[in-house]
Amino acid sequence: MRTLNQWFDEYAVSHQNPKNKAIHYVCVPAIFFSIVGLLMSLPTEFIANSLKLNQPIIENWAVVVLIFVLIFYIRLSVAMAFKIAVFAALCLILNFYIAQILPLWVVSIAIFVVAWIGQFYGHNIEGKKPSFLKDLQFLMIGPAWVLDNLFSKK
């Protein structure tokens, strides 16, 4: 199993151009945020019905998926898992408030589409294919790489 730094080193190969990096610093968190919003938009009745409960134990699908996401990060780095957990909590809170005033699924799809367009534009500038085309696990490495680059003392 690769270490987090090995993942980062490989991910960084296709993220050298300053414009592409800046685009990633905005678009990767936006994609993460939008996926949390989309998951929060899914109905929770299935959880309650499948477990034969009157009330769902877990309020939304985002929490279920984020538990597995955090397990992935814990395997790589407890410190990074903590940072991702804080970011995920912020995403949950902000999406909750957005859902109070707008259809969350519409906002999430719009953010998702615009952010992915930005990502591919950034890779066009870079002249290299996105890392996830080589290994889908890079979709999970991207958020950690952004957090590491934005908040580390390198």
Side-chain angles (χ1 to χ4, degrees):
M1 184 169 98
R2 287 184 259 192
T3 67
L4 186 59
N5 285 331
Q6 289 171 324
W7 280 109
F8 285 168
D9 291 344
E10 191 172 344
Y11 190 83
V13 169
S14 61
H15 301 87
Q16 295 296 310
N17 183 290
K19 288 181 183 175
N20 185 32
K21 288 171 81 170
I23 289 168
H24 275 64
Y25 294 159
V26 172
C27 292
V28 169
I31 291 167
F32 189 102
F33 176 81
S34 68
I35 291 171
V36 171
L38 287 168
L39 290 168
M40 287 177 70
S41 300
L42 295 174
T44 58
E45 290 80 22
F46 175 77
I47 297 172
N49 291 340
S50 64
L51 298 175
K52 303 203 182 334
L53 302 169
N54 291 332
Q55 295 291 322
I57 294 173
I58 298 175
E59 191 63 32
N60 64 64
W61 285 104
V63 174
V64 174
V65 172
L66 287 169
I67 289 169
F68 290 102
V69 167
L70 290 175
I71 291 170
F72 174 86
Y73 288 114
I74 288 169
R75 290 178 46 234
L76 294 173
S77 164
V78 173
M80 182 54 68
F82 178 76
K83 292 173 189 175
I84 293 288
V86 170
F87 178 65
L90 292 171
C91 289
L92 287 166
I93 292 166
L94 188 54
N95 273 303
F96 173 81
Y97 285 109
I98 290 171
Q100 305 306 305
I101 54 175
L102 295 167
L104 184 56
W105 68 274
V106 172
V107 173
S108 297
I109 287 174
I111 292 170
F112 186 84
V113 169
V114 170
W116 272 110
I117 290 169
Q119 290 283 90
F120 283 107
Y121 176 70
H123 279 286
N124 185 45
I125 293 170
E126 182 84 41
K128 295 185 179 166
K129 294 179 183 176
S131 300
F132 75 87
L133 294 176
K134 179 181 177 185
D135 187 336
L136 286 176
Q137 291 181 83
F138 280 111
L139 292 171
M140 299 286 285
I141 298 304
W145 180 82
V146 168
L147 284 174
D148 187 65
N149 278 276
L150 289 176
F151 300 108
S152 68
K153 296 179 182 177
K154 290 181 182 179

